């Protein structure tokens, strides 16, 4: 055995899936995972740079690890991977010289080799080079969820939205072969998973490099046809790549969940143009209208940024108005913060005060809570099919799961329901979840 590794992850679902693959690589190389950082021979932190707070947390944790090592007389090899590693490279050492290995988003497969080199030589090992090969050995991921598996289908992004650091940290868009994706889904089913979530920066821009006939809607159909798959989700699509064909596949394929996370970012055309989103408020609302006509009852969620450079009161008012019109089931909302290398950081002054950003995000979140509460209330006494994924966090005698529309439901039940689809009658709701009771036998 090489020793024990401790792995901590920040950021998006793609980062967490990267960590699942890092775990598989390390265990294949002879390392054993530990949840006790004091016992670690190797400490890995997989970073995010989309939000400034996550980046600062890296340096805080590195300082804490140094204190733990000093207190226990240990000297673990410390590796920083992911977006901050890709973005900052060797300059990370200016703030923390304890780092032994730096690996960017496109070089994750080199982690075991660089750890070995760091162990032998005790010199900095770094790989932030770009790589077009986005393949990983089949079955390498150590899925952290007992019910669902994440499967990356695209790495990188070509959109270059002015606020977004992803093209600079994950590189240009590279598509995985459809055959590899379907094989990974089969592997996930063989390991007991019944739901997959397809991941990509612009997931619905997928076009298979090994089959010109296989675009994203076709891939959804192929994945849904894998025996044993009960549900298929995906994140995150871009509004300008939502086609009528995609809407029809969502409607007509039972395994594809009736939920769409469709980031809008702002309700103002002026701000959307400054963000380089390449759609308008009107075209976005037209997509929403077609979606609801094609897939009745579809649940929608979104991302919003407030306080983008130049955002005036009238722009923010348009964002609130759009939320009232669309009526999202859930929302991720953020205050704008300038990120290194982005077009906005180079060209647009961050001219909205922090106080105004705070005022606006509180107003947005208050409106979303009202809308969400009204939507949840309308679901009381209605039936829902829930995929059970575990025990409720708050009540040990209750189980929890999600509807096809991605709403969390808590209900009295037994642990043997995990991984099963169960019929539920909705009986009530809280701010962020529903409550229900079993309405029949699971399947």
């Amino acid at each position: 055995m090489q020793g024990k590794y401790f792995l901590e992850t920040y950021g998006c679902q793609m980062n967490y899936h990267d960590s699942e693959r890092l775990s598989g690589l390390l265990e294949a190389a002879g390392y054993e995972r530990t949840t006790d950082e004091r016992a670690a021979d190797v400490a890995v932190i997989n970073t995010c740079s989309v939000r400034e707070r996550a980046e600062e947390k890296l340096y805080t944790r590195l300082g804490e690890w140094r204190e733990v090592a000093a207190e226990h007389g240990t000297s673990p090899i410390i590796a920083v991977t992911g977006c901050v590693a890709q973005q900052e490279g060797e300059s990370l050492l200016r703030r923390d010289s304890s780092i032994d290995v730096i690996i960017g988003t496109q070089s994750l497969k080199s982690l075991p080799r660089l750890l070995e080199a760091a162990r032998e030589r005790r010199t900095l090992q770094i790989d932030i080079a770009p790589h077009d090969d986005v393949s990983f050995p089949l079955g390498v991921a150590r899925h952290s969820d007992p019910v669902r598996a994440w499967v990356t289908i695209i790495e990188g992004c070509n959109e270059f939205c002015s606020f977004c650091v992803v093209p600079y940290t994950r590189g240009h868009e590279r598509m995985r072969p459809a055959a590899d994706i379907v094989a990974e889904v089969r592997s996930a089913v063989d390991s007991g998973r019944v739901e997959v979530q397809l991941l990509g920066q612009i997931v619905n821009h997928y076009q298979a490099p090994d089959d010109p006939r296989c675009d994203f809607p076709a891939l959804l159909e192929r994945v849904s046809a894998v025996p044993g798959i009960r549900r298929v989700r995906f994140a995150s699509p871009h509004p300008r790549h939502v086609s009528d064909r995609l809407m029809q596949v969502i409607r007509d394929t039972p395994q594809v969940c009736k939920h769409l996370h469709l980031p809008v970012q702002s309700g103002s055309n002026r701000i959307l143009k400054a963000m380089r989103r390449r759609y308008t408020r009107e075209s976005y609302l037209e997509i929403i209208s077609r979606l609801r006509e094609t897939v009745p009852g579809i649940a929608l969620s979104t991302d919003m940024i407030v306080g983008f450079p130049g955002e005036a009161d009238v722009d923010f008012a348009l964002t609130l108005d759009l939320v009232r019109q669309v009526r999202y089931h859930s929302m991720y909302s953020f205050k704008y913060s300038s990120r290194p290398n982005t077009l906005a950081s180079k060209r647009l002054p961050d001219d909205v005060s922090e106080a105004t950003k705070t005022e606006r995000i509180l107003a947005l979140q208050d409106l979303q809570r009202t809308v969400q509460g009204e939507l949840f209330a309308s679901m009381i006494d209605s039936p829902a099919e829930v995929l059970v994924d575990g025990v409720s966090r708050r009540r040990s005698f209750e189980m929890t799961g999600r509807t096809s529309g991605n709403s969390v439901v808590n209900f009295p039940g037994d642990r043997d329901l995990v991984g099963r689809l169960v019929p539920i009658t909705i009986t009530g709701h809280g701010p962020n979840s529903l409550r229900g009771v079993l309405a029949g036998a699971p399947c």
Side-chain angles (χ1 to χ4, degrees):
M1 189 179 76
Q2 295 276 26
K4 295 183 178 181
Y5 76 95
F6 177 85
L7 175 60
E8 194 161 287
T9 308
Y10 306 133
C12 64
Q13 290 169 321
M14 189 166 285
N15 268 30
Y16 279 89
H17 181 47
D18 284 345
S19 288
E20 292 179 337
R21 298 193 288 192
L22 288 174
S23 291
L25 292 171
L26 289 172
E27 289 168 21
Y31 291 91
E32 178 186 350
R33 186 159 192 171
T34 179
T35 57
D36 183 358
E37 59 195 80
R38 297 169 299 179
D41 301 287
V42 169
V44 182
I45 187 163
N46 191 16
T47 61
C48 169
S49 63
V50 172
R51 304 298 298 169
E52 186 175 9
R53 192 172 301 168
E55 186 176 328
E56 287 302 315
K57 192 170 184 179
L58 162 65
Y59 298 108
T60 300
R61 288 298 283 137
L62 290 173
E64 291 170 351
W65 285 355
R66 285 198 310 274
E67 292 176 7
V68 168
E71 181 180 346
H72 293 84
T74 58
S75 183
I77 296 172
I78 294 179
V80 177
T81 70
C83 293
V84 175
Q86 184 73 46
Q87 176 181 287
E88 301 296 330
E90 197 167 347
S91 64
L92 287 171
L93 299 179
R94 289 202 292 265
R95 289 190 60 174
D96 196 305
S97 60
S98 67
I99 302 169
D100 300 292
V101 177
I102 298 172
I103 301 179
T105 57
Q106 302 174 57
S107 310
L108 297 179
K109 284 182 288 189
S110 64
L111 178 59
R113 174 178 58 82
L114 295 188
L115 288 175
E116 185 63 25
R119 184 198 303 273
E120 291 177 356
R121 303 170 196 165
R122 277 294 175 176
T123 58
L124 175 68
Q125 303 296 310
I126 182 168
D127 186 352
I128 56 172
H131 297 282
D132 284 337
D133 181 8
V134 294
S135 64
F136 273 80
L138 181 63
V140 71
R142 297 296 183 261
H143 298 297
S144 55
D145 190 299
V147 171
R148 59 184 57 84
W150 294 314
V151 176
T152 298
I153 69 169
I154 301 176
E155 287 278 3
C157 184
N158 295 343
E159 289 289 326
F160 288 92
C161 297
S162 65
F163 57 83
C164 185
V165 74
V166 167
Y168 307 97
T169 57
R170 289 194 174 266
H172 66 88
E173 205 169 61
R174 289 99 70 212
M175 317 283 185
R176 291 183 62 197
D180 290 358
I181 294 166
V182 172
E184 186 171 344
V185 171
R186 289 198 185 101
S187 176
V189 172
D190 291 343
S191 72
R193 276 67 191 178
V194 295
E195 178 181 302
V196 293
Q197 182 159 346
L198 306 180
L199 301 178
Q201 305 302 329
I202 306 293
V203 70
N204 57 331
H205 196 222
Y206 179 81
Q207 179 64 57
D210 58 332
D211 185 349
R213 301 167 300 171
C214 186
D215 58 5
F216 183 65
L219 181 68
L220 284 177
E221 292 177 322
R222 293 188 189 189
V223 167
S224 298
V226 173
I229 283 294
R230 308 299 298 274
R231 282 187 175 175
V232 178
R233 299 187 188 274
F234 55 90
S236 285
H238 193 288
R240 66 191 197 95
H241 300 299
V242 175
S243 64
D244 289 340
R245 166 82 172 128
L246 175 56
M247 297 180 194
Q248 292 159 6
V249 168
I250 295 172
R251 178 193 63 198
D252 297 338
T253 311
Q255 293 86 349
V256 177
C257 290
K258 307 313 181 240
H259 164 248
L260 194 64
H261 183 76
L262 198 59
V264 63
Q265 309 299 358
S266 173
S268 162
N269 282 339
R270 193 174 68 84
I271 298 302
L272 288 172
K273 184 176 181 180
M275 288 178 167
R276 299 185 81 248
R277 291 294 286 173
R278 298 189 179 94
Y279 54 81
T280 64
R281 169 194 179 90
E282 291 76 19
S283 65
Y284 182 90
L285 288 171
E286 196 271 333
I287 290 168
I288 298 299
S289 177
R290 284 175 20 234
L291 263 171
R292 288 191 161 138
E293 182 179 346
T294 305
V295 192
I298 191 169
L300 299 171
S301 55
T302 197
D303 296 338
M304 285 287 193
I305 297 172
V306 303
F308 189 79
E311 184 187 65
D313 288 344
V314 65
D315 300 304
F316 180 64
L318 287 167
T319 292
L320 294 179
D321 181 69
L322 185 138
V323 173
R324 293 187 190 98
Q325 288 193 53
V326 177
R327 296 179 63 78
Y328 297 102
H329 280 74
S330 63
M331 175 190 297
Y332 295 103
S333 54
F334 309 94
K335 293 190 288 186
Y336 172 78
S337 62
S338 178
R339 307 312 298 137
N341 301 317
T342 60
L343 294 172
S345 71
K346 297 174 181 178
R347 301 177 182 177
L348 301 174
D350 189 359
D351 56 359
V352 180
S353 72
E354 189 64 24
T356 299
K357 290 178 184 178
T358 299
E359 179 183 329
R360 287 176 182 171
I361 200 164
L362 290 175
L364 176 62
Q365 291 172 346
D366 183 62
L367 172 59
Q368 177 58 28
R369 276 192 296 272
T370 299
V371 170
Q372 201 163 301
E374 291 170 353
L375 290 171
F376 282 174
S378 72
M379 297 171 69
I380 293 176
D381 295 329
S382 65
E385 187 176 61
V386 171
L387 176 60
V388 184
D389 53 26
V391 178
S392 171
R393 294 179 181 178
R394 294 190 175 182
R395 300 177 179 88
S396 60
F397 59 90
E398 288 188 339
M399 304 305 292
T400 188
R402 291 180 183 269
T403 66
S404 176
N406 207 39
S407 294
V408 174
V409 182
N410 298 298
F411 63 95
D414 299 322
R415 294 174 186 245
D416 60 2
L417 294 175
V418 172
R420 310 281 295 277
L421 287 167
V422 298
I424 294 288
T425 299
I426 304 301
T427 59
H429 71 90
N432 299 302
S433 61
L434 299 162
R435 297 187 60 76
V437 294
L438 284 168
C443 60

